Amino acid sequence: MSIVEERTGGNGYVGQALRRKEDPRLITGSATYIDDLTLPGTLWAAIVRSPEAHARIVSIDTSAALERPDVEAVFTGEDLADLAAPTVFFWKPPGVEVKVPEHWPLARGKVGYVGQAVAVVLGTDRYSVVDAAEEVIVEYEPLPVVVDLESALEEGAPLVHDEYGTNNCFEWSLGGGDLDAAFEEADVIVERRLVNHRTAGAAIETRGCIAEWRADRLTLWSSTQIPHIARVVLSIQLGISEDRIRVVAPEVGGGFGSKLQVYGEEVLACYCSRRLNRPVKWIATRSEDMMTTHHGRDHVARVRLGAKRDGTLTAIHARILADLGSYHLIEGPVIPTFAACVISGCYRFSAVKCDVTGVFTNKFTTDAIRGAGRPEGIHDIEMAMDQLARELDMDPLELRRRNFLRKEEFPASLPHGVIYDSGDYDGALEKLLEHVDVDAFRREQAQLREQGIYRGIGFSCYVEICGLAPSRVLGPPGWGMQGGYFESAIVRVHPTGSVTAYTGTSPHGQGHETGFAQIVADKLGVSPDQVEVIHGDTNTGPFGKDTYGSRTAAVGGEAMARAADKVANKAKQIAAHKLEAAPEDIELRDGEFRVKGVPEKGMALGDIAGEAYIPVDLPEGMEPGLDETAFYDPENFTWPFGAHACMVDVDPETGKVEIVRYVAVDDCGPAINPMLIDGQIHGGLAHTIGQVLYEQVVYDSEGQLITGSFVDYALPTAAELPSFETDRTETPSPVNSLGVKGVGEAATIGSTPAIHSALLDALRPLGVEFVDLPLTPLRVWQAIQEARGEGGGPRASEQARDVGPQGQGPGFGPSAPEGGAL
Amino acid sequence: MGATVRVEASVNGERRVSETEARTLLVYWLRDELGLTGTHIGCDTSNCGACTVHLNGEAVKSCTVLAAQVDGAEVTTIEGLGRDGQLHPLQEAFWKHHGLQCGYCTPGMIMAAADLLARNPDPSEEDVRHGLEGNLCRCTGYHNIVKAVQEAARAREMAAVEVPGPPRETPQAGR
């Protein structure tokens, strides 16, 4: 099925809102997700999980399960003693000690969170292995549990890992400029404690995998974002060389960071398959997924912001506590440090500092979820900026404008050592205000208030760090990630002129096949319909670094463009040879490689490919074939930005918040496919509206997960969300030839403070100064009651303490601005 | 395996018969026994709607129906929605308006939308949003799904064709 109207070929596909190449299989039910695959002789795996948040394992009795006729094997942690290594952890920041407790696919002696895998049951029937898992008897000796992030650091708190003598996992800092002097210079200093609570990625497809050990080789099919990284990890944990491992990501039903992981179950399935010589399949139930697919956010930050009386910013200092849960997976602790990159937002400061303390608790691991540190960082600074504006009695947008880095200042070196590539923050805000008439809104707001309707508006201006790469910054000597962050691509022209392009990135809904086909089509003068994009299989292309950190376009797209450029250059040489012209006189026009100024002398890609594969008359010394590989490692990150406005209505009788209007202006550089960009913005907005208004991963004081299903974890439905208004500015990045910056996470980063600020604006006439996230009806209603002096039952914080949700310890009241203006 | 039951049903217009475990859910019957893997599973609690199919012309969540319950009934899944190799107007509209990203919720979403249009041929945005609140999507923010459903409603009106319920009762739909 064609995605373009006419198959003219040639230039101009980049920038068009083409329909996706992926969709025909997806809308007809013919795509192949992990659970759609089953191999002959497959054994199903069911996991026995800990009901205790912290306990010693006294005994495990597997005999009843093993007696069942359809059960082939049951393994416990002890049975896996021959695994080569525990979970591989990739972050070793130079000069910083990060405590890395051993984390095995099946617990050894002790459990540290509810849901930790203790045993695996393998059998021939999908249903009966679940029955058998119920019959594995595990005796636990419960240990004291610590759930709250801040309490975990208090003297005498229960220890998640005795051997460390503390729950403090690491302390990391990034800063620059003379912080003391810059605060000294300030006339006004505001402080704000900000909570960015724990959330779930909640892809609609749960995790799952199939492992097959056959002929001394391993294949793992997994619903993962990172097949290439998974192969490295499997090699280390299983002690098998990489050449004998193939990892395939089939159609992946959403990731949002939650499948940027190599989970214990993937290693376990491989191990069991090797041991039993049968394919092993495991598909998570939703409850398993909520319990043991990594969570995100879970920060408490204290932000201190200094400015002169005229609004000129001088210094920012953020101290972030990050809840890591009890064990790490591949990289969780590095995620909060990404908040530091953007902690100074779009603004000029003379000093910037961000301290991050990672904390162990008896909860599941946190790691990257869409935005991954940047939504928290931008929430921190933008909420502090609003508070500063009020303190200075200044228009919050005027305060922002006064401190924006100007477009002529880019590339801009910031005090804490990061270099923003390009930006036009004034331009994005100006564009936003073309859509939002603030004066008209204020008039409407006043009228509505007379009718008892509380409407508020909130703004945010954001910048984000994307295009994860470059290796020399992110890698071992810099940030300390133990890996390279290049990307790879192959562009392979077939003998009759159609094209297969291989990318090292690995999609889960973004539309890589369409966007990359557009890039290649333009470079080679063919239609995107003639370009097939292959991904997610370690045996088909070169080693790649997969998809996360909004890196697909900015790193993978550039690698693809470079591979296509190499092919185009060779094609030009062949065309020049055949057409008796100089290679520099060959141009790509209307789908043909033509001699400039002589339109009748030209060759289509298929003709050139024919020459390349029947190599009887190629230029002297040229190799046959039309097939090129590129590896690309950028010089810098890319820094998308934008300006968002949110308008909400709050019902003071119920505390319910409704989004009335949302306007997003985002700049991710020139569009490859504007339809895909809008789609990413819509999805990111919904994700954050969900987080801010509805969603929270909640544990009680015993470490029991209360939000273990979609009944309790409130993903927004269509009925809770508005249609969104989106617009763009396009400021090219100088980092790559396409000028693109990345957009997958943008909306989650820009929107948290806009929504939060809109709510506070709506509540101000009711005397409410501050409410912590999430802005659930209960918390909002209680804040209103408290401001009215009407009590209204237990405060959200107190009620929270009764059931003890994580991150809701003392001091989490709906009011509680700590410090305020000094 | 526990007690089994015989299930005979018309699935996408074809007669299908099998002996299946009594506790088998419709969604597993469709997927594992009939190989119709376009219907997906996203939760254990009938919240997500990824498993939505039509049972005797009405949308149901097939994770909440036992296979045994469809004995003698007519079932339509996403694989049976298009006709004669042509996409259904909803499939066309989802494609055109980028109403899907990862695609996992899409078959259920389209089946729920078909049911909505059968009941309400000219839904407002509000109608669409409330009509689809039994189906979760994590990728699209629903924005383009709503556009797609409204466009399909218009296309359907223009073509004056029925959005199919059970195949045998509905003449040539989906052009």
Side-chain angles (χ1 to χ4, degrees):
Chain A
M1 292 190 215
S2 173
I3 62 165
V4 294
E5 295 297 320
E6 290 174 28
R7 290 167 177 262
T8 53
N11 298 324
Y13 289 113
V14 166
Q16 285 190 36
L18 297 187
R19 300 201 288 180
R20 297 201 315 171
K21 290 172 73 75
E22 291 87 343
D23 289 1
R25 65 177 185 263
L26 300 171
I27 54 182
T28 53
S30 16
T32 306
Y33 297 88
I34 187 67
D35 197 14
D36 304 339
L37 285 167
T38 300
L39 300 171
T42 292
L43 292 177
W44 285 89
I47 313 276
V48 179
R49 298 186 181 277
S50 169
E52 298 285 342
H54 196 196
R56 222 175 299 287
I57 298 171
V58 178
S59 64
I60 305 177
D61 179 357
T62 61
S63 56
L66 277 168
E67 275 170 27
R68 296 176 67 98
D70 37 18
V71 168
E72 294 285 322
V74 182
F75 297 129
T76 67
E78 282 178 19
D79 298 320
L80 271 59
D82 53 341
L83 264 180
T87 296
V88 177
F89 179 67
F90 282 104
W91 189 44
K92 293 194 179 101
V96 175
E97 187 213 350
V98 183
K99 299 176 183 74
V100 186
E102 279 191 10
H103 190 197
W104 296 91
L106 294 177
R108 295 186 174 184
K110 196 184 137 169
V111 291
Y113 55 90
V114 161
Q116 188 164 359
V118 173
V120 59
V121 177
L122 297 129
T124 50
D125 179 68
R126 179 176 204 153
Y127 279 28
S128 67
V129 288
V130 177
D131 297 336
E134 296 281 319
E135 293 178 1
V136 174
I137 310 299
V138 186
E139 188 186 339
Y140 297 95
E141 177 195 332
L143 297 168
V145 170
V146 62
V147 172
D148 176 64
L149 165 64
E150 290 172 301
S151 319
L153 292 178
E154 285 167 9
E155 196 66 30
L159 294 175
V160 176
H161 302 286
D162 287 336
E163 61 269 34
Y164 302 133
T166 173
N167 292 319
N168 181 327
C169 173
F170 72 89
E171 289 180 5
W172 177 98
S173 202
L174 184 71
D178 187 336
L179 197 70
D180 292 340
F183 274 119
E184 197 70 28
E185 239 184 291
D187 300 316
V188 178
I189 295 173
V190 294
E191 290 193 1
R192 166 63 72 200
R193 177 178 176 280
L194 284 151
V195 176
N196 207 300
H197 58 283
R198 186 176 277 239
T199 60
I204 305 299
E205 182 201 37
T206 61
R207 293 190 291 119
C209 59
I210 303 173
E212 184 189 37
W213 180 264
R214 183 186 281 266
D216 217 23
R217 274 164 183 72
L218 173 71
T219 304
L220 176 74
W221 291 264
S222 181
S223 180
T224 181
Q225 299 175 218
I226 55 166
H228 294 277
I229 294 173
R231 187 179 59 172
V232 176
V233 170
L234 291 177
S235 169
I236 295 168
Q237 288 201 253
L238 297 166
I240 305 170
S241 62
E242 285 168 81
D243 58 293
R244 290 160 62 208
I245 303 175
R246 175 186 179 197
V247 181
V248 183
E251 204 79 61
V252 175
F256 318 106
S258 72
K259 294 173 183 169
L260 188 196
Q261 197 58 272
V262 185
Y263 286 96
E265 292 88 351
E266 291 168 287
V267 179
L268 190 59
C270 293
Y271 177 91
C272 294
S273 178
R274 187 185 191 188
R275 184 137 163 194
L276 300 172
N277 224 9
R278 299 268 295 270
V280 170
K281 178 168 177 175
W282 171 77
I283 302 290
T285 63
R286 173 56 57 190
S287 307
E288 281 183 298
D289 210 67
M290 295 305 290
M291 260 192 298
T292 63
T293 295
H294 73 236
H295 301 145
R297 317 277 191 265
D298 213 351
H299 293 189
V300 175
R302 285 184 166 75
V303 186
R304 198 159 178 252
L305 187 62
K308 297 192 176 183
R309 183 53 62 186
D310 68 359
T312 307
L313 295 168
T314 61
I316 182 165
H317 183 195
R319 289 171 297 140
I320 295 171
L321 296 182
D323 190 330
L324 306 174
S326 54
Y327 292 96
H328 312 320
L329 288 164
I330 64 171
E331 62 180 14
V334 76
I335 299 301
T337 70
F338 295 144
C341 302
V342 296
I343 199 67
S344 61
C346 303
Y347 315 112
R348 202 181 301 98
F349 282 96
S350 41
V352 175
K353 189 159 188 272
C354 184
D355 305 317
V356 179
T357 302
V359 183
F360 289 118
T361 61
N362 290 116
K363 291 180 288 192
F364 192 59
T365 308
T366 53
D367 206 309
I369 295 294
R370 199 170 193 170
R374 292 98 90 202
E376 299 93 313
I378 291 295
H379 183 229
D380 294 341
I381 180 157
E382 287 296 277
M383 297 311 289
M385 287 291 281
D386 276 2
Q387 188 173 330
L388 176 65
R390 281 199 303 285
E391 183 60 26
L392 293 169
D393 197 19
M394 187 181 279
D395 171 17
L397 295 182
E398 182 50 33
L399 176 65
R400 285 167 168 85
R401 271 194 211 97
R402 193 163 293 190
N403 290 284
F404 275 156
L405 291 159
R406 304 284 164 226
K407 68 177 171 189
E408 55 279 6
E409 290 180 65
F410 293 92
S413 293
L414 277 75
H416 51 313
V418 300
I419 301 169
Y420 289 180
D421 60 342
S422 63
D424 180 5
Y425 305 147
D426 288 288
L429 181 55
E430 207 172 295
K431 177 79 96 173
L432 179 75
L433 295 175
E434 286 172 16
H435 297 277
V436 179
D437 181 338
V438 182
D439 292 336
F441 175 84
R442 291 295 178 202
R443 286 193 298 273
E444 183 190 22
Q445 182 184 42
Q447 285 164 5
L448 289 170
R449 267 174 205 166
E450 283 171 18
Q451 301 163 27
I453 296 170
Y454 290 83
R455 182 165 290 184
I457 190 166
F459 293 91
S460 86
C461 298
Y462 76 93
V463 61
E464 55 158 331
I465 177 171
C466 280
L468 293 193
S471 301
R472 69 188 169 80
V473 181
L474 207 53
W479 221 260
M481 293 304 291
Q482 303 298 300
Y485 289 88
F486 61 88
E487 202 39 78
S488 65
I490 294 177
V491 172
R492 176 168 296 159
V493 184
H494 301 298
T496 54
S498 68
V499 181
T500 301
Y502 301 82
T503 174
T505 62
S506 192
H508 28 285
Q510 296 89 341
H512 292 39
E513 293 167 35
T514 307
F516 286 170
Q518 289 176 261
I519 293 171
V520 172
D522 276 7
K523 297 280 188 189
L524 301 182
V526 295
S527 158
D529 284 337
Q530 289 167 264
V531 182
E532 178 81 354
V533 177
I534 304 291
H535 49 72
D537 183 340
T538 59
N539 268 21
T540 61
F543 183 46
K545 292 306 300 250
D546 308 314
T547 288
Y548 44 84
S550 302
R551 68 192 305 276
T552 292
V555 194
E558 178 68 9
M560 188 62 76
R562 288 179 179 216
D565 277 336
K566 287 186 186 179
V567 170
N569 284 337
K570 187 168 179 180
K572 281 181 184 172
Q573 289 177 47
I574 295 172
H577 178 72
K578 298 300 291 181
L579 300 171
E580 297 174 335
E584 56 273 20
D585 289 336
I586 301 293
E587 63 177 0
L588 182 59
R589 188 168 278 234
D590 298 333
E592 280 199 335
F593 290 84
R594 285 186 187 159
V595 181
K596 281 180 198 161
V598 194
E600 65 279 10
K601 287 184 80 175
M603 291 176 79
L605 187 68
D607 301 330
I608 295 170
E611 295 294 330
Y613 289 108
I614 306 174
V616 293
D617 182 24
L618 288 179
E620 188 65 32
M622 180 180 276
E623 289 177 7
L626 202 51
D627 186 326
E628 298 286 347
T629 302
F631 281 80
Y632 166 68
D633 198 341
E635 285 296 305
N636 191 3
F637 303 98
T638 54
W639 302 81
F641 58 92
H644 287 199
C646 177
M647 283 147 258
V648 301
D649 279 352
V650 183
D651 181 341
E653 300 310 314
T654 63
K656 186 165 181 278
V657 182
E658 186 187 346
I659 309 253
V660 184
R661 202 178 160 208
Y662 200 101
V663 188
V665 173
D666 298 278
D667 190 323
C668 57
I672 296 171
N673 183 326
M675 185 183 76
L676 300 186
I677 291 175
D678 279 346
Q680 290 296 316
I681 297 297
H682 298 155
L685 291 176
H687 202 126
T688 297
I689 291 170
Q691 184 197 350
V692 173
L693 299 185
Y694 306 109
E695 298 173 33
Q696 182 177 22
V697 173
V698 180
Y699 286 87
D700 73 7
S701 56
E702 299 302 312
Q704 291 296 330
L705 180 65
I706 294 176
T707 50
S709 76
F710 282 167
V711 175
D712 313 291
Y713 188 83
L715 289 185
T717 74
E720 275 87 46
L721 296 172
S723 283
F724 305 112
E725 297 167 54
T726 56
D727 202 346
R728 289 197 314 279
T729 57
E730 292 195 353
T731 306
S733 170
V735 174
N736 58 68
S737 72
L738 300 167
V740 298
K741 293 191 167 196
V743 71
E745 298 164 285
T748 62
I749 296 163
S751 58
T752 315
I755 306 162
H756 198 176
S757 176
L759 172 96
L760 296 178
D761 185 54
L763 293 187
R764 205 150 287 124
L766 294 165
V768 174
E769 277 301 310
F770 198 76
V771 190
D772 270 322
L773 304 184
L775 306 175
T776 56
L778 175 67
R779 298 169 70 91
V780 171
W781 180 81
Q782 285 174 326
I784 294 167
Q785 294 302 105
E786 185 162 292
R788 283 173 172 170
E790 289 176 11
R795 290 170 20 152
S797 58
E798 288 162 353
Q799 200 195 44
R801 226 174 292 150
D802 290 342
V803 289
Q806 60 84 24
Q808 305 250 337
F812 259 78
S815 51
E818 295 187 0
L822 298 178
Chain B
M1 192 180 269
T4 61
V5 290
R6 184 174 186 275
V7 180
E8 177 177 350
S10 165
V11 180
N12 299 331
E14 283 179 42
R15 181 172 162 272
R16 307 298 294 257
V17 187
S18 83
E19 196 70 32
T20 189
E21 199 174 353
R23 66 176 172 175
T24 303
L25 297 171
L26 175 58
V27 66
Y28 287 109
W29 189 68
L30 291 170
R31 291 176 50 80
D32 295 345
E33 298 198 29
L34 306 191
L36 294 168
T37 55
T39 302
H40 299 146
I41 301 163
C43 68
D44 317 322
T45 49
S46 296
N47 286 81
C48 80
C51 64
T52 305
V53 300
H54 292 181
L55 176 57
N56 293 331
E58 288 190 354
V60 296
K61 291 180 176 177
S62 60
C63 72
T64 326
V65 177
L66 290 166
Q69 289 174 276
V70 307
D71 187 44
E74 287 171 344
V75 179
T76 308
T77 70
I78 188 72
E79 289 93 341
L81 195 59
R83 289 298 151 74
D84 306 327
Q86 298 291 309
L87 295 175
H88 182 276
L90 274 163
Q91 290 170 316
E92 274 288 352
F94 269 66
W95 190 15
K96 178 178 169 192
H97 287 286
H98 191 28
L100 63 149
Q101 290 179 29
C102 82
Y104 197 77
C105 76
T106 308
M109 194 69 80
I110 288 177
M111 296 310 285
D115 181 68
L116 168 68
L117 293 187
R119 286 180 286 114
N120 181 354
D122 183 24
S124 66
E125 176 179 343
E126 203 60 17
D127 293 338
V128 175
R129 289 184 174 279
H130 282 284
L132 295 179
E133 66 189 342
N135 291 67
L136 295 173
C137 171
R138 190 57 151 172
C139 293
T140 64
Y142 307 100
H143 180 103
N144 288 338
I145 291 177
V146 173
K147 269 166 67 178
V149 174
Q150 290 195 287
E151 156 127 346
R154 283 191 298 274
R156 189 169 159 272
E157 202 176 332
M158 305 258 295
V161 295
E162 292 285 309
V163 171
R168 270 179 260 158
E169 290 171 12
T170 311
Q172 294 301 303
R175 293 299 166 83

